Amino acid sequence: MAAVKYIASEKLPDWLKSLAEKSRVLVPVAEGGGVVFRPYAPGCQPVFGSDATAPPKGSVFPACQELFRYERGKDAEDPGKGTLKLLPATEAEPTVVFGAKPCGARGFLIFDRVYMGKKFPDPYYINAREATVFVTMACSTANVENTCFCHWVGSGPADGAGSDVLLTPVAGGYTAEALTDKGAALLESPVLSDGAAKAAEADSVKAAAREALGEAPDISTSPAALLAAFDDMDFWRDQSDKCVSCGACTYLCPTCYCFTITDEPTGQSGRRMRSWDACMHFQFTLEASGHNPRPTKAHRLKNRVGHKFSYYPTLHEGIIACCGCGRCIKSCPVSVDIREIVQNAVARAKG
Amino acid sequence: MTDPFNPYLPEVATVLETVQETHNIKTFRVRFDDEAKMAAFTFEPGQVGQLSAPGIGESTFVINSPPTRMDYLQFSVMRAGEVTTMLHGLSAGDKVGVRAPLGKPFPYEEMKGKDIVFVGGGIGMAPLRTLFLYMLDNRADYGNITLLYGARSPGDMAFSAELPEWTSRTDINTTLTIDREAEGWEHKVGLIPNVLLELAPSPKGAVAITCGPPIMIKFTLEALKKLEFADEQIYTTLEKRMKCGIGICGRCNIGSSYVCVDGPVYSYAQLKALPNEL
């Protein structure tokens, strides 16, 4: 483990400015009543307190991304014949995501297992992932909210998994720990000083935040419990009664990775795009024949919870596809609480 | 050939020929423009491809020509939505994109030495055609081959150019059926599951492969069970809404099984083990 460094709050703009000279630096900023990640520019006021309204998911997995351009044309030698050129662009912009909570970065560990598969690795994702560095901010007790449940899913408020640098708020500034080589390179800046004297304070901040989350219930049986409830549609109607199928839970989720593919034509040329999609929407599984395997919101919520707490763990060594950030609960207009649904399924299975 | 570096990028192909099979099914025969890639292309019976018309989108179709006949790749498309309507507008010389092969094939190696019962309904004959022709091209490897192919009416039967050969060959046992009497129809009349029960193929040392509309599959499975076929002796291939085709986009899951990579071919035993979400 590299030595702990320290940066005073007043020196943060200098560090951000120097980082922004080499990369796109995304910081959480207040916008439209929420907090979202936007490119840093000198003078901007990052919000490092409460967690951002939207996670930094788009830094690696943009909400809308070009897969390739196509160009139709006519064969110069035979005007009756057409031509078709496909032009992919997989380059990614060097990016530093600065000031996300650890859960926001950890979400990409869930993506990695799917997008970095052996048979069909996703070049767009992999290039963006490799070009991105995460400087996250451990939570203090001031940031622990009643919607947080990272400790239920094997994580915690100072979990560095998925982060390259972990900052911890201490008096007057932040300690900075490099967790990867990419992170260590960022800490070479002269605006950072030795932080050994602050390490104990940082440890107690982390411990207090973990303490504030309280005990986590045992949800280790959720994969089997959710499958056991699969055909109990009365149960799922109860769980989904309030849901309005808006999809906010999926769009704001750091671990939701589903997408759709659409074409955008402009005359004879155009683009094939992929865009975030949401399993909470009726159209998600609607087949061309008109058949829909998930015709009601009860079926769709079952899939969302089932995917995160049953199907994904079944495929990926028990790892839950949820980082416990609580955005789906906090931002749900009707307060659907995924924690309650999982616990209800576990309780149902126990009889 | 699906590019391992960029599996989203189709291979450009040219439509060589189209066949209007029925009022709403059209067959496309295509070849990759890159002849080296066409020569190197391999697939197995039952695997699918994404056929795309850039500007509209892409959809999944089984490659219904067999790998033993690589002059072209054949796709049969039933008009049902935007992409299929666009595809129906294509004619010889037009360009399409192809991402293939995707998904898992029928276990045709394990089927060697067994009697084979094909039960196809409507457009469901397309995926069966691949395996059926593959087995005809490797006829000595398989036992008795029975084909039961049905459609609503004579005009709804695809692959009509091939039907005379299929019905006249003596090394296979072909039965064609339609739902109701029609003028000039010389074959069976009756619903597929009922005709299957009449034919009563023996399950001993046999496998059955069925594909068609969901209601037909449901009753065909019941008929096969009455004939005492075990769940492990029955195969089908599923249609699901797929986008990426490579197990990432998350649209085609049934529980933890992704139809685009774990299927589309499943045994009935495998299907029964999946959550009930077809």
Side-chain angles (χ1 to χ4, degrees):
Chain A
M1 179 66 70
V4 176
K5 295 225 173 179
Y6 172 76
I7 183 164
S9 297
E10 65 269 22
K11 289 200 173 170
L12 261 187
D14 293 340
W15 193 22
L16 288 166
K17 192 173 164 223
S18 67
L19 293 173
E21 283 165 5
K22 295 174 199 153
S23 306
R24 176 177 69 144
V25 178
L26 299 175
V27 291
V29 294
E31 186 180 295
V35 175
V36 292
F37 284 84
R38 292 285 182 257
Y40 176 82
C44 94
Q45 297 293 320
V47 178
F48 292 133
S50 61
D51 200 1
T53 312
K57 182 160 71 171
S59 60
V60 175
F61 181 59
C64 204
Q65 179 172 35
E66 183 182 302
L67 293 175
F68 58 82
R69 291 181 164 272
Y70 68 86
E71 290 174 3
R72 289 182 190 282
K74 284 189 174 179
D75 189 324
E77 292 177 11
D78 183 353
K81 277 189 183 170
T83 59
L84 174 62
K85 276 188 197 165
L86 305 177
L87 311 159
T90 60
E91 301 83 30
E93 186 180 4
T95 298
V96 176
V97 176
F98 196 104
K101 296 298 178 194
C103 50
R106 189 174 176 274
F108 286 111
L109 300 184
I110 307 299
F111 273 70
D112 290 350
R113 289 170 168 272
V114 177
Y115 281 76
M116 294 180 171
K118 285 184 187 150
K119 192 170 179 195
F120 291 115
D122 187 307
Y124 305 90
Y125 176 83
I126 289 170
N127 288 351
R129 186 86 166 95
E130 287 173 355
T132 303
V133 187
F134 289 96
V135 180
T136 58
M137 183 83 70
C139 292
S140 68
T141 51
N143 311 136
V144 172
E145 301 185 50
N146 61 9
T147 47
C148 292
F149 64 108
C150 55
H151 60 314
W152 289 33
V153 294
S155 184
D159 183 354
S163 301
D164 297 292
V165 171
L166 184 68
L167 304 178
T168 305
V170 290
Y174 306 91
T175 59
E177 299 164 67
L179 304 174
T180 65
D181 290 344
K182 282 200 291 191
L186 296 192
L187 298 190
E188 295 298 315
S189 169
V191 297
L192 292 146
S193 56
D194 182 74
K198 302 276 188 180
E201 184 187 349
D203 286 346
S204 64
V205 167
K206 293 176 191 173
R210 174 62 191 83
E211 181 85 7
L213 283 168
E215 288 290 309
D218 179 9
I219 55 165
S220 60
T221 57
S222 67
L226 286 161
L227 273 188
F230 196 90
D231 289 323
D232 184 350
M233 288 314 293
D234 288 340
F235 174 81
W236 288 107
R237 273 188 286 274
D238 278 351
Q239 307 306 311
S240 64
D241 196 30
K242 295 186 288 188
C243 176
V244 291
S245 296
C246 69
C249 50
T250 55
Y251 291 117
L252 294 174
C253 175
T255 67
C256 271
Y257 56 76
C258 293
F259 62 82
T260 188
I261 299 174
T262 50
D263 284 10
E264 291 182 357
T266 312
Q268 288 294 88
S269 59
R271 314 189 289 172
R272 179 158 293 174
M273 310 293 294
R274 76 163 162 206
S275 316
W276 295 354
D277 205 349
C279 61
M280 302 307 289
H281 294 162
F282 179 80
Q283 290 88 348
F284 190 70
T285 50
L286 180 63
E287 296 172 12
S289 64
H291 171 63
N292 194 336
R294 297 184 199 132
T296 72
K297 61 184 182 178
H299 290 89
R300 299 191 286 274
L301 189 66
K302 173 172 68 173
N303 180 69
R304 177 174 155 78
V305 181
H307 183 194
K308 293 189 177 302
F309 289 86
S310 180
Y311 318 149
Y312 188 101
T314 299
L315 291 173
H316 297 290
E317 298 163 328
I319 291 169
I320 293 171
C322 168
C323 62
C325 72
R327 284 185 179 86
C328 57
I329 307 162
K330 194 174 172 181
S331 300
C332 177
V334 291
S335 302
V336 173
D337 191 327
I338 197 166
R339 294 172 299 191
E340 287 175 10
I341 299 172
V342 173
Q343 282 185 297
N344 290 344
V346 168
R348 180 192 170 282
K350 279 183 184 162
Chain B
M1 171 177 323
T2 298
D3 182 347
F5 168 70
N6 190 338
Y8 299 99
L9 190 66
E11 199 60 47
V12 174
T14 300
V15 177
L16 303 179
E17 191 181 355
T18 66
V19 180
Q20 190 72 47
E21 303 277 5
T22 72
H23 73 284
N24 65 352
I25 299 172
K26 196 167 180 179
T27 286
F28 299 87
R29 295 175 182 148
V30 308
R31 275 186 80 85
F32 299 151
D33 285 6
D34 185 331
E35 278 301 328
K37 286 189 175 169
M38 189 72 212
F41 183 77
T42 57
F43 73 102
E44 297 176 271
Q47 287 192 290
V48 300
Q50 289 270 0
L51 200 55
S52 70
I56 299 291
E58 59 183 357
S59 284
T60 314
F61 306 97
V62 72
I63 307 167
N64 76 59
S65 48
T68 41
R69 304 180 193 185
M70 291 296 285
D71 293 341
Y72 49 76
L73 301 178
Q74 177 165 309
F75 299 89
S76 295
V77 175
M78 187 162 86
R79 196 173 59 235
E82 284 184 15
V83 173
T84 53
T85 298
M86 173 70 181
L87 290 172
H88 269 238
L90 297 176
S91 52
D94 285 338
K95 301 291 181 187
V96 290
V98 177
R99 290 196 291 131
L102 301 170
K104 287 194 173 148
F106 290 106
Y108 56 99
E109 291 288 341
E110 291 167 34
M111 292 176 181
K112 280 184 178 171
K114 293 182 176 169
D115 290 346
I116 312 291
V117 180
F118 288 100
V119 186
I123 188 67
M125 188 59 219
L128 302 193
R129 179 182 185 271
T130 322
L131 185 61
F132 178 65
L133 294 185
Y134 175 85
M135 288 179 169
L136 294 189
D137 290 346
N138 293 278
R139 186 65 193 86
D141 289 342
Y142 300 93
N144 294 326
I145 295 181
T146 300
L147 169 65
L148 169 57
Y149 172 32
R152 278 184 200 156
S153 71
D156 289 309
M157 300 208 80
F159 314 115
S160 54
E162 296 163 89
L163 299 181
E165 187 206 334
W166 295 354
T167 50
S168 62
R169 276 180 73 142
T170 53
D171 60 342
I172 53 175
N173 177 17
T174 300
T175 303
L176 306 179
T177 186
I178 56 171
D179 290 358
R180 288 193 199 95
E181 294 280 0
E183 202 177 320
W185 180 251
E186 295 167 349
H187 303 277
K188 277 289 231 194
V189 174
L191 295 173
I192 291 167
N194 299 339
V195 177
L196 178 62
L197 286 172
E198 275 179 45
L199 293 174
S202 167
K204 197 177 172 191
V207 292
I209 305 128
T210 184
C211 191
I215 191 77
M216 178 219 111
I217 291 186
K218 180 174 183 279
F219 288 107
T220 298
L221 289 173
E222 284 180 16
L224 288 168
K225 296 310 291 179
K226 271 186 200 162
L227 295 169
E228 298 186 343
F229 276 76
D231 297 344
E232 293 77 12
Q233 290 175 280
I234 303 170
Y235 290 87
T236 190
T237 175
L238 296 187
E239 186 172 86
K240 276 271 169 185
R241 181 166 198 175
M242 300 178 201
K243 282 287 177 183
C244 73
I246 54 175
I248 299 180
C249 81
R251 307 182 84 84
C252 66
N253 76 301
I254 305 170
S256 56
S257 185
Y258 284 79
V259 174
C260 69
V261 290
D262 301 320
V265 170
Y266 290 89
S267 72
Y268 189 35
Q270 289 170 321
L271 277 186
K272 275 181 147 177
L274 293 178
N276 177 25
E277 201 176 53
L278 292 180

